[in-house]
Amino acid sequence: MGVPEMKEFWDELEKKIKDNTAKKNEKILFKKLVACLKKIATDPRYPALCSHEIEALTKRYGQKVWESYFENNKPAAGRLFWVYGPNKSDITIIGLEPHPNDKKDAYQKITLSAKSGREE
């Protein structure tokens, strides 16, 4: 799962789930992320994910950055940010953020992990 920061986040969350020390909100997040990651692994353009390129982030990071929904229809719904790479069939998770609510320059507040991937 993703670059070091995202892998560390995932490993900690997964450990809490396995050790049964996760809080209710962490259990909910884990369940939603697992479902989202399964869909992305099978088909990044799965309709419920609403995956789309975020041009502002693509410009900032110099490679196509994609956003997929793992939550919807709630304030600050969760979004997963990812890129293709580093290998042809790979997807690298580079961020997990709530959907930005402000319309103007909404993605300026999003900071993603340093990444290595390739543009596709």
Side-chain angles (χ1 to χ4, degrees):
M1 163 132 185
V3 293
E5 297 94 338
M6 289 305 302
K7 180 161 181 12
E8 183 178 321
F9 169 81
W10 177 258
D11 289 346
E12 288 176 17
L13 183 59
E14 189 174 42
K15 183 178 182 332
K16 287 179 180 180
I17 296 296
K18 287 180 181 176
D19 294 346
N20 204 26
T21 59
K23 296 176 183 169
K24 182 179 178 181
N25 63 332
E26 291 172 321
K27 290 176 184 178
I28 293 168
L29 174 62
F30 184 79
K31 184 177 178 179
K32 289 178 181 182
L33 285 175
V34 167
C36 180
L37 292 171
K38 284 180 181 179
K39 289 173 187 161
I40 285 177
T42 304
D43 179 7
R45 294 194 170 107
Y46 184 85
L49 295 173
C50 300
S51 297
H52 57 283
E53 180 185 0
I54 302 298
E55 290 182 24
L57 296 176
T58 293
K59 285 181 183 178
R60 187 185 328 158
Y61 290 97
Q63 92 181 82
K64 286 186 181 182
V65 176
W66 300 85
E67 174 185 79
S68 295
Y69 296 14
F70 68 87
E71 293 180 311
N72 209 1
N73 299 323
K74 66 181 252 181
R79 301 296 188 250
L80 198 66
F81 293 89
W82 54 274
V83 296
Y84 286 104
N87 299 313
K88 184 173 173 91
S89 61
D90 292 346
I91 288 177
T92 301
I93 307 302
I94 59 172
L96 179 67
E97 294 277 341
H99 187 275
N101 289 326
D102 48 352
K103 301 291 183 206
K104 185 179 179 198
D105 297 327
Y107 292 97
Q108 291 301 319
K109 296 176 183 174
I110 302 286
T111 302
L112 303 175
S113 299
K115 64 199 176 314
S116 63
R118 64 169 185 78
E119 186 173 337
E120 183 168 288

